[in-house]
């Protein structure tokens, strides 16, 4: 642990988390006021660590699972008289609710790091904004109103509350960090397997106003979990002065991973958006189209947990990322592009859900490959989330350009209309793998030339 006599508070931020004989992290740290050893609760195990992780899973499942299921609302809003005349702008509601999580990541993370004493208060600030966004949306009578409430207000609330939770998990889970973040990432997949069906039933039976209020009430019941969130490190005024070591941005590997995430993210969001409409174009009933998304969500849960677990086992993150991208690209170009039956499309949903979504879990392991500093891992994670989010924002304009004025033809590749979407998605994943492979090939060649 690196400390100085002039600034002992730095030890609060840069604690030493080295594995003990059980693979867990050491639990000793200097007291910020007296310079004496201070026992910390154990990382990677124990009731407190699991409590924070499970509470984080519940929040992620419900608060992130809701905007992830916006496709159900989009279809509903587009077909009711109140909003159908402005249907072209309905997609912006979901884009804001999801996109603010990605693009707002660095700013929310910076706020969390700057005021570590107030992480729980930050959750208390974002939590009611999400609920208020849904309640206000239930009274909206125009698409603009929905954009401002279900989109903007909800998105701001979620990005505000989620990064304090991520920061706490980052403190409690060290040696098993990949597993912990894999579980958190899989939470939205768990709800994605069931939430669209529940929302569809509620919308059909009670309409959007009652459905939005019911969702808001469900989120209110998560309030008692907020006091369970607590950091592992002692929060003091001095801790707010600790600085993140930004030297990691000077390392080429950080930018190699960042560029691969950016490229993969450009096509990553297309399958869950277009798979139901693709199935409908082939004459497959809409309920089976929803089933494809449910299957993909289940595969996402398994894939993100497994790949997060594997990333803790000293396997090369570059190898894991390359396998994910190659498998996802192959499934897109072959199974989705040539798929004309439920059997092939289910196989695609399983493979893409496992590997395509599993790639996102590796953001933590990529950060650790660049630097082992806990604060650096948190900062790189937020930047990588931002880079992936660029693709989320660009889904609408890219898809419009790729599908414009194309007729549906069941006998053509990707049903004709969706050939550009399929090829773009597959190539983006393949290119992400190529970026990582090219970097490591160049490194090996450089090492060989020095011998």
């Amino acid at each position: 642990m690196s400390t100085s006599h002039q600034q002992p508070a730095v030890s609060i931020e840069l604690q030493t988390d080295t594995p003990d004989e059980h693979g867990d992290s050491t639990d000793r740290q200097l007291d910020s006021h007296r310079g004496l050893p201070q026992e910390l609760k154990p990382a990677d195990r124990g009731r407190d660590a699991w409590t924070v992780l499970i509470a984080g899973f519940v929040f992620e499942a419900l608060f992130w699972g809701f905007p992830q299921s916006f496709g159900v609302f989009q279809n509903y809003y587009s077909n009711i008289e109140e909003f159908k005349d402005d249907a072209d702008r309905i997609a912006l509601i979901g884009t804001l609710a999801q996109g603010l999580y990605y693009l707002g990541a660095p700013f929310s993370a910076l706020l969390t790091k700057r005021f570590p004493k107030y992480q729980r208060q930050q959750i208390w600030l974002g939590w009611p904004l999400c609920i208020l966004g849904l309640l206000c949306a239930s009274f909206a009578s125009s698409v603009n109103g929905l954009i401002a409430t279900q989109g903007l207000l909800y998105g701001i609330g979620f990005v505000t509350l989620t990064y304090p939770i991520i920061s706490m998990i980052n403190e409690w889970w060290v040696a098993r960090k990949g597993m912990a973040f894999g579980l958190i990432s899989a939470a939205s997949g768990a709800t994605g397997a069931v939430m669209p069906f529940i929302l569809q039933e509620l919308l059909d039976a009670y309409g959007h106003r009652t459905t939005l209020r019911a969702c808001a009430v469900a989120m209110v019941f998560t309030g008692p979990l907020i006091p369970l969130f607590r950091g592992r490190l002692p929060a003091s005024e001095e801790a707010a002065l600790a600085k993140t070591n930004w030297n990691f941005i000077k390392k080429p590997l950080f930018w190699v991973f960042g560029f691969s995430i950016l490229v993969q993210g450009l096509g990553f969001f297309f399958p869950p958006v277009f798979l139901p409409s693709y199935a409908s174009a082939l004459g497959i009933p809409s309920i089976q189209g929803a089933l494809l998304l449910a299957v993909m969500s289940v595969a996402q849960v398994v894939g993100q947990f497994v790949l997060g677990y594997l990333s803790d086992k000293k396997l090369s993150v570059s190898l894991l990322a390359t396998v994910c991208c190659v498998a996802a690209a192959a499934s897109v170009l072959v199974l989705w592009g040539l798929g004309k039956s439920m059997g092939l499309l289910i196989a695609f949903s399983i493979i893409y859900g496992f590997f395509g979504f599993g790639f996102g879990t590796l953001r933590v392991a990529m950060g650790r490959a660049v630097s082992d500093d806990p604060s650096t891992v948190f900062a790189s994670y937020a930047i990588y989330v931002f880079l992936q989010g660029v693709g989320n924002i660009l889904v609408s304009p890219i898809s419009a350009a790729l599908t414009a004025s194309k007729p549906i033809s069941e006998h053509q590749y990707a049903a004709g209309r969706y050939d550009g979407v399929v090829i773009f998605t597959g190539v983006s994943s393949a290119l992400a793998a190529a970026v990582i492979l090219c970097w490591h090939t160049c490194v090996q060649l450089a090492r060989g030339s020095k011998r």
Side-chain angles (χ1 to χ4, degrees), residues 65-419:
F66 179 81
Q68 292 278 70
S69 303
F70 178 73
V72 177
F73 279 96
Q74 180 170 336
N75 183 58
Y76 180 86
Y77 289 153
S78 300
N79 289 287
I80 62 174
E81 200 66 36
E82 192 171 2
F83 305 125
K84 66 187 303 182
D85 291 339
D86 204 6
D88 291 342
R89 300 175 64 240
I90 289 175
L92 184 57
I93 304 168
T95 298
L96 281 173
Q98 296 181 43
L100 284 171
Y101 162 74
Y102 293 104
L103 300 187
F107 307 103
S108 182
L110 182 63
L111 183 65
T112 300
K113 292 292 294 178
R114 180 64 183 84
F115 303 103
K117 279 190 67 176
Y118 304 103
Q119 291 184 14
R120 191 184 296 166
Q121 286 82 349
Q122 193 175 331
I123 299 173
W124 279 117
L125 176 63
W127 179 73
L129 289 180
C130 291
I131 296 170
L132 185 63
L134 299 189
L135 288 176
C136 292
S138 71
F139 294 98
S141 58
S142 66
V143 172
N144 283 337
L146 292 174
I147 290 172
T149 53
Q150 190 176 350
L152 182 62
L153 187 56
Y154 186 94
I156 292 174
F158 181 73
V159 75
T160 300
L161 71 84
T162 192
Y163 281 94
I165 296 174
I166 290 173
S167 177
M168 293 176 189
I169 293 172
N170 185 53
E171 292 179 8
W172 281 105
W173 296 87
V174 182
R176 303 169 69 188
K177 196 184 298 289
M179 180 279 296
F181 275 83
L183 188 63
I184 289 296
S185 298
S188 61
T191 51
V194 295
M195 186 174 286
F197 297 100
I198 296 173
L199 292 175
Q200 189 65 63
E201 289 294 324
L202 289 173
L203 287 170
D204 290 341
Y206 303 105
H208 68 284
R209 300 188 189 280
T210 300
T211 298
L212 288 168
R213 291 165 192 167
C215 291
V217 171
M219 291 178 182
V220 168
F221 285 110
T222 63
L225 295 178
I226 298 179
L228 300 179
F229 288 110
R230 62 189 65 190
R232 177 171 173 257
L233 307 181
S236 67
E237 293 295 343
E238 288 86 353
L241 301 177
K243 303 290 185 180
T244 297
N245 183 358
W246 291 99
N247 286 335
F248 70 90
I249 65 174
K250 300 177 182 178
K251 298 183 179 181
L253 185 59
F254 169 77
W255 295 106
V256 169
F257 286 142
F259 187 65
S260 68
I261 289 171
L262 174 65
V263 171
Q264 191 262 1
L266 292 176
F268 167 72
F269 297 96
F270 285 105
V273 171
F274 283 97
L275 192 57
S277 58
Y278 176 81
S280 179
L282 298 176
I284 296 174
S286 58
I287 188 64
Q288 293 186 29
L291 178 62
L292 291 173
L293 293 183
V295 170
M296 186 178 291
S297 293
V298 173
Q300 171 191 343
V301 173
V302 179
Q304 291 184 319
F305 180 80
V306 168
L307 285 160
Y309 176 83
L310 291 176
S311 70
D312 289 331
K313 298 302 178 182
K314 306 304 181 183
L315 292 174
S316 167
V317 65
S318 295
L319 175 63
L320 292 174
T322 301
V323 170
C324 285
C325 290
V326 170
S331 69
V332 170
L333 296 173
V334 178
L335 296 176
W336 190 14
L338 299 176
K340 299 294 189 297
S341 65
M342 274 296 290
L344 286 177
L345 294 179
I346 286 176
F348 163 70
S349 297
I350 293 173
I351 296 173
Y352 190 83
F354 188 97
F355 290 103
F357 283 86
F359 176 83
T361 300
L362 299 176
R363 291 188 294 250
V364 173
M366 290 174 179
R368 286 192 296 181
V370 175
S371 172
D372 283 331
D373 187 325
S375 65
T376 293
V377 173
F378 182 64
S380 63
Y381 178 88
I383 295 172
Y384 286 157
V385 168
F386 174 88
L387 292 173
Q388 187 181 37
V390 173
N392 179 270
I393 297 298
L394 295 178
V395 163
S396 204
I398 291 176
S399 62
L402 293 175
T403 60
S405 304
K406 286 188 175 181
I408 293 174
S409 176
E410 294 185 29
H411 304 292
Q412 293 184 8
Y413 181 77
R417 173 180 293 177
Y418 301 98
D419 56 356

